[in-house]
Amino acid sequence: MMGLTKKDFTLLIIVACLAIFAPFILNPFPEGSAMAQFNAGYPDLMQRLVIFGIFAIGFNILFGLTGYLSFGHAAFLGVGSYAAIWMMKLLTMNVIPAIIVSVAVAGLFSLLVGWISLRRSGIYFSILTLAFAQMSYALAYSVLTPITGGETGLQPKYTDPRILDGALEPGQTPRANLFGLDMKQSFELEVADWVFTFNAGYYVAAAVMLIAFYLSIRIFRSPFGLMLRAVKSNQQRLNYTGLNSKPYTLAAFVISGMYAGLAGGLLVAMDTQVGAERMFWTASGEVVLMTILGGAGTLIGPILGAGFIKYFENIVSKINESILHQWFAFMPDGIEDFLVAIVYPFIGKGWHLTLGIIFMLVVIFLPGGLVEGGQRVARLFKRKKPADDKPDGKTTPAE
Amino acid sequence: MSNSKLTRRGLIKTSALGGAGLALPTIFTAGRASAFTNEPTGDTVTLGFNVPQSGPYADEGADQLRAYQLAVEHLNGEGDGGMMNTFTSKALQGNGIMGKKVEFVSGDTQTKSDAARASAKSMIEKDGAVMITGGSSSGVAVAVQALCQEAGVIFMAGLTHANDTTGKDKRANGFRHFFNSYMSGAALAPVLVNNYGADRKAYHLTADYNWGYTTEEAVRSSTEALGWETVNTVLTPLTQTDFSSYIAPVLQSGADVLVLNHYGGNMVNSLTNAVQFGLRDKMVNGKQFEIVVPLYSELMARGAGANVKGIFGSQNWDWKLENQLGERYVGTNAFVQSFGTKYGFPPSQAAHTGYVQALLYADAVERAGSFNPCAVGEALKDFEFDGMGNGPTLYRGDDHQCFKDVVVVKGKENPENEFDLVEIVEVTPTEQVTYAPDHPQFAGGSLGTCNAGA
């Protein structure tokens, strides 16, 4: 269906269901319970999950298929964001032009960067992209302050021209919308103690993510995708067959740059401000982590990885000492303090530590990322059936 | 939750343009019927403390968080009450805010505006915070202030010194207690002229970002007004750790004062370099060469160690104020006492401004009789108070900036302990650091109207 095999179509449907029912899935605990701390079903985080999902899907087209490790993809995210905010300042608060322009501008910029960086491969390519990203960051943070707002960033203001929209009343805050539908608009469904929030912006972002995901499946399964895989497995041999692989890698680079630009544009559509930190090299590193954590080269891996990291950043980092004391309050005083002292370094400001440990564990024991973990679990359950007819449940080597 | 402020004309225009009638706002009407965002309905009220816990300002953030926790204790009637005893407004009873127990959530801004906004949003959307406070850089403060304006909650700025926060980026829902670059310049200039003479040539090294620009502009214009000449201004990259190449040309320029518009690690490094180059032992134009650091903090003084001796700078507040300058700065000792008892060392100015902001917010709610951000804003507007350690203070209604005395300090020659690194030289009275709301350094913004959200 839709040009997909049955297996891929099922995957697409699963992702669609996850995206549509995210407000329920991410809010499993009732309000007011101690576990409500772990709920993630609020608009901002849900938006971030799908947007960084798009970012990681795009990155995976480059890294997962060709094996070219770009350390500068945050630059395209940032360029897309700045393009989108300028559209909102000059043209209209409608998110459609902003998103289209962000993809186009990021595409052009990645064409330039890719054209230069792809002259080298391996570590030199990574360093080149990293250098480009850091240059972009430095430009945005200081040199280009009149265009980028420098440290304080850019936000739409009521004084901006916005030629397609009517003039706003003084002091009114311009709001991003889709033909009048405010991105911040939410509908709250209260069922007993649970509160589920359905946010307009989230569903717009989720719809875009599904399209992006569908496109990435098509790319993975296309002859073009096959060519990219050939680049990964042995570029030299590919060149010896008389085939010039550079247009393919450049195309992959530009496509992934456009995905990053799309994510940047969506970030602005959901939350109308841009800061230069978005392009900092750690942001580029983050998307690498997302892809590897989820499973590079797999379809759904990057989305899982993005969700995992954003969840940690937003939920675990907010658990503080006094919440821990509440959790362990039922223990005797001495033990309570002891437990808090042990757990505290791993939560709150120590969330990086926990994430680092998990990342290490995944890379060491599940080199294929979270997807491999899922596959192993699935195999565990599947194996039981055939195991029944074999006496010891193991295959005996034929010696 | 949210509410769409569509004008009819805008709606028609945008829909016509898109050619599709996708406007479905009626389906998405707010589910909860409340008068404003996160109206506290139970017997508790949640405040959001959004401070850097990682990144370059993590130490400042940690100290701010300590102060916020202390403020929560005092508001709930625990501890010794701190500055609530000296505060001139007596609306706070020590029974929470309007009888509701104060609870708080904390988050990590990572000193990045994206992360800060994400953290503040989760406080507002998930935890139901009715006020957000904190931040340790102007970029973060401006970003979060705009967010609070959109969401309809009050933002009480923490550590943010750039003019823009209450200048071109000011917002009706945002308030700043901390002083700014202009005030630093206005306070420093007379002291510098008194000490170094009116006939001086200054050379500026400025961190290449927004705060650096505003600080340089402020110091330059105030010193030039008193007769100084600016020889050169040079921008230095923020990531620079070795400033030797920038210091060498200073000596050839004929300047006899070096102004370091740097903060944090930048300032520690550039000052160390300058001292190592022997600038302070040089005689230029027949005068002793001097170095000036517009914004001082305890942490920077500690970082720069002995190099800071004898160097002038400005501060928002210092823990020795009341002991050295008497009754006018009442509240200082009360705060230092309760902070010191709890944590074992004196509070920094970052801690002080956070604590005061939390108390001022709570007090404004009590006086307004409502948590509604518009009512709270109204109560803070042109509010005059005393007893918070800074002397008589005004929360000016025009730009939501606090006006109070500015402390001019000097690195101490013989510090007695690690907390006593700067000595107070002079306190510049409020009148000297007050400016008109439309001053050129602050022009271009608009407060707008308060937003109560839903």
Side-chain angles (χ1 to χ4, degrees):
Chain A
M1 254 170 287
M2 291 162 72
L4 300 178
T5 62
K6 196 167 168 246
K7 206 177 156 201
D8 289 338
F9 189 71
T10 321
L11 185 63
L12 183 66
I13 295 297
I14 292 174
V15 173
C17 289
L18 285 178
I20 292 167
F21 296 110
F24 297 105
I25 298 165
L26 293 173
N27 255 8
F29 307 110
E31 290 276 295
S33 71
M35 297 298 279
Q37 185 74 37
F38 293 104
N39 279 347
Y42 61 95
D44 182 62
L45 183 53
M46 291 195 293
Q47 290 165 1
R48 255 162 230 279
L49 293 181
V50 295
I51 292 172
F52 280 91
I54 294 173
F55 190 20
I57 292 171
F59 184 76
N60 193 34
I61 291 177
L62 180 71
F63 177 58
L65 288 182
T66 68
Y68 273 87
L69 177 58
S70 160
F71 257 116
H73 258 53
F76 308 127
L77 183 86
V79 166
S81 294
Y82 281 114
I85 202 106
W86 272 110
M87 272 294 114
M88 289 188 166
K89 278 167 126 21
L90 299 176
L91 208 59
T92 167
M93 287 304 286
N94 193 327
V95 297
I96 299 287
I99 290 174
I100 293 173
V101 170
S102 64
V103 175
V105 172
L108 287 176
F109 187 56
S110 56
L111 186 64
L112 173 76
V113 174
W115 189 68
I116 298 170
S117 305
L118 282 167
R119 280 156 198 278
R120 292 283 169 269
S121 61
I123 187 74
Y124 305 103
F125 168 80
S126 303
I127 296 295
L128 274 176
T129 50
L130 178 65
F132 267 107
Q134 273 305 81
M135 278 194 281
S136 315
Y137 167 76
L139 287 175
Y141 201 77
S142 51
V143 183
L144 294 179
T145 296
I147 305 173
T148 61
E151 184 209 12
T152 44
L154 282 180
Q155 292 153 4
K157 291 186 173 160
Y158 81 95
T159 41
D160 295 328
R162 245 185 305 282
I163 40 179
L164 293 183
D165 291 356
L168 281 171
E169 283 166 42
Q172 216 181 333
T173 325
R175 286 164 171 277
N177 62 68
L178 180 74
F179 304 114
L181 172 63
D182 191 334
M183 292 292 108
K184 291 215 159 47
Q185 202 74 252
S186 289
F187 169 72
E188 291 192 344
L189 177 70
E190 289 184 45
V191 185
D193 275 342
W194 281 266
V195 179
F196 304 110
T197 313
F198 303 91
N199 175 265
Y202 166 70
Y203 279 104
V204 170
V208 177
M209 192 269 276
L210 286 176
I211 298 170
F213 185 57
Y214 171 72
L215 281 178
S216 103
I217 301 181
R218 292 301 298 261
I219 292 174
F220 264 66
R221 301 294 180 237
S222 67
F224 170 69
L226 205 61
M227 196 62 84
L228 296 182
R229 274 179 234 249
V231 170
K232 185 180 189 176
S233 62
N234 196 333
Q235 195 172 2
Q236 210 166 22
R237 196 174 288 174
L238 196 67
N239 289 337
Y240 286 160
T241 62
L243 192 130
N244 183 4
S245 61
K246 190 163 175 210
Y248 289 97
T249 47
L250 183 60
F253 192 87
V254 173
I255 290 171
S256 69
M258 286 165 83
Y259 267 84
L262 174 66
L266 276 175
L267 275 178
V268 169
M270 301 301 127
D271 182 10
T272 51
Q273 68 94 35
V274 193
E277 296 92 356
R278 200 165 283 181
M279 308 167 95
F280 200 58
W281 68 272
T282 50
S284 301
E286 202 179 58
V287 72
V288 180
L289 288 190
M290 285 171 180
T291 312
I292 294 175
L293 188 63
T298 61
L299 284 168
I300 201 174
I303 306 180
L304 292 180
F308 204 80
I309 288 186
K310 283 292 148 188
Y311 183 86
F312 258 84
E313 180 179 346
N314 287 280
I315 302 294
V316 178
S317 75
K318 275 185 65 199
I319 305 171
N320 58 34
E321 210 169 357
S322 54
I323 294 175
L324 276 188
H325 275 288
Q326 280 170 27
W327 286 355
F328 298 122
F330 64 93
M331 301 267 190
D333 260 1
I335 300 177
E336 180 189 332
D337 290 342
F338 177 70
L339 280 175
V340 170
I342 285 188
V343 178
Y344 190 56
F346 295 94
I347 50 108
K349 62 181 173 185
W351 70 274
H352 281 113
L353 188 58
T354 316
L355 188 67
I357 292 172
I358 291 175
F359 186 71
M360 274 171 56
L361 291 177
V362 166
V363 170
I364 294 170
F365 297 107
L366 297 171
L370 294 174
V371 169
E372 190 184 330
Q375 284 167 345
R376 283 193 191 181
V377 172
R379 230 178 296 146
L380 209 65
F381 285 107
K382 269 186 196 157
R383 202 186 289 153
K384 274 183 184 160
K385 277 178 212 157
D388 288 342
D389 19 47
K390 282 176 192 159
D392 55 354
K394 280 178 195 164
T395 36
T396 348
E399 277 178 305
Chain B
M1 266 292 309
S2 56
N3 114 25
S4 76
K5 284 222 173 122
L6 286 171
T7 57
R8 196 182 61 93
R9 187 194 297 168
L11 178 62
I12 292 171
K13 261 192 183 168
T14 38
S15 350
L17 260 166
L22 274 171
L24 299 164
T26 41
I27 306 181
F28 297 91
T29 40
R32 248 183 238 165
S34 56
F36 53 89
T37 307
N38 294 334
E39 179 174 7
T41 45
D43 49 7
T44 59
V45 53
T46 308
L47 307 182
F49 300 147
N50 204 16
V51 297
Q53 299 183 31
S54 53
Y57 301 137
D59 290 340
E60 270 107 337
D63 216 31
Q64 265 183 75
L65 196 55
R66 286 183 202 113
Y68 284 133
Q69 281 169 332
L70 192 66
V72 168
E73 270 182 25
H74 291 170
L75 288 172
N76 285 334
E78 297 154 18
D80 59 8
M83 280 202 263
M84 270 166 59
N85 305 319
T86 54
F87 189 22
T88 44
S89 168
K90 296 292 170 205
L92 290 167
Q93 306 297 319
N95 61 350
I97 307 178
M98 292 218 314
K100 294 184 196 293
K101 186 167 185 279
V102 181
E103 289 186 344
F104 70 92
V105 286
S106 59
D108 183 5
T109 67
Q110 305 174 37
T111 329
K112 293 180 191 157
S113 44
D114 273 357
R117 270 173 82 108
S119 163
K121 270 191 164 180
S122 100
M123 289 172 180
I124 297 169
E125 292 175 356
K126 175 164 176 262
D127 305 307
V130 71
M131 180 273 271
I132 303 290
T133 177
S136 262
S137 94
S138 298
V140 167
V142 165
V144 177
Q145 180 165 274
L147 170 78
C148 291
Q149 175 75 39
E150 280 169 42
V153 299
I154 289 278
F155 176 65
M156 301 297 272
L159 206 63
T160 153
H161 184 254
N163 290 341
D164 291 352
T165 314
T166 50
K168 76 174 176 57
D169 291 309
K170 56 179 173 274
R171 299 290 161 124
N173 284 27
F175 292 84
R176 168 160 74 176
H177 171 264
F178 206 66
F179 72 149
N180 55 40
S181 299
Y182 176 89
M183 295 177 175
S184 283
L188 266 179
V191 178
L192 294 178
V193 170
N194 283 345
N195 282 276
Y196 302 151
D199 174 31
R200 282 277 187 171
K201 292 189 170 71
Y203 191 105
H204 287 254
L205 286 184
T206 304
D208 191 358
Y209 73 118
N210 191 279
W211 173 81
Y213 309 152
T214 60
T215 307
E216 180 201 295
E217 188 185 3
V219 176
R220 219 180 52 202
S221 58
S222 334
T223 48
E224 280 173 5
L226 294 176
W228 281 27
E229 190 186 322
T230 307
V231 179
N232 199 358
T233 60
V234 174
L235 294 173
T236 62
L238 205 64
T239 45
Q240 195 78 23
T241 48
D242 177 21
F243 291 85
S244 323
S245 55
Y246 292 95
I247 306 246
V250 175
L251 283 173
Q252 273 86 54
S253 67
D256 44 33
V257 178
L258 174 63
V259 182
L260 296 172
N261 299 303
H262 289 153
Y263 188 71
N266 268 347
M267 174 265 175
V268 171
N269 290 329
S270 64
L271 180 61
T272 308
N273 284 157
V275 173
Q276 279 168 356
F277 258 70
L279 282 188
R280 305 207 56 215
D281 311 319
K282 293 270 187 320
M283 294 293 283
V284 182
N285 309 333
K287 301 182 201 76
Q288 181 73 36
F289 195 94
E290 302 291 352
I291 302 174
V292 177
V293 176
L295 178 61
Y296 245 99
S297 84
E298 295 80 356
L299 283 161
M300 279 154 49
R302 210 171 302 165
N307 298 325
V308 89
K309 283 178 184 172
I311 288 177
F312 282 104
S314 69
Q315 277 190 186
N316 187 52
W317 176 82
D318 190 277
W319 64 274
K320 302 179 291 290
L321 264 179
E322 190 173 352
N323 287 342
Q324 292 183 14
L325 293 156
E327 270 303 286
R328 183 172 164 90
Y329 303 102
V330 64
T332 299
N333 283 354
F335 177 55
V336 174
Q337 166 108 40
S338 52
F339 191 96
T341 315
K342 186 158 180 194
Y343 300 112
F345 47 87
S348 64
Q349 59 178 344
H352 169 257
T353 197
Y355 178 91
V356 172
Q357 285 282 65
L359 246 53
L360 283 173
Y361 170 79
D363 173 70
V365 172
E366 290 279 358
R367 285 185 295 112
S370 162
F371 285 98
N372 188 324
C374 290
V376 175
E378 210 47 54
L380 281 171
K381 222 174 190 174
D382 291 320
F383 175 51
E384 286 179 50
F385 60 93
D386 198 355
M388 295 295 235
N390 290 108
T393 309
L394 164 73
Y395 234 128
R396 186 159 77 180
D398 296 309
D399 50 8
H400 296 180
Q401 168 70 49
C402 264
F403 287 85
K404 52 194 165 11
D405 301 350
V406 173
V407 188
V408 177
V409 296
K410 193 166 92 169
K412 208 164 192 171
E413 295 291 349
N414 299 306
E416 284 158 24
N417 56 57
E418 55 170 323
F419 306 112
D420 184 27
L421 298 171
V422 295
E423 60 178 294
I424 301 166
V425 180
E426 200 178 298
V427 174
T428 311
T430 325
E431 304 78 56
Q432 269 187 41
V433 297
T434 306
Y435 51 88
D438 58 350
H439 189 280
Q441 289 185 29
F442 294 82
S446 157
L447 273 180
T449 47
C450 83
N451 177 18

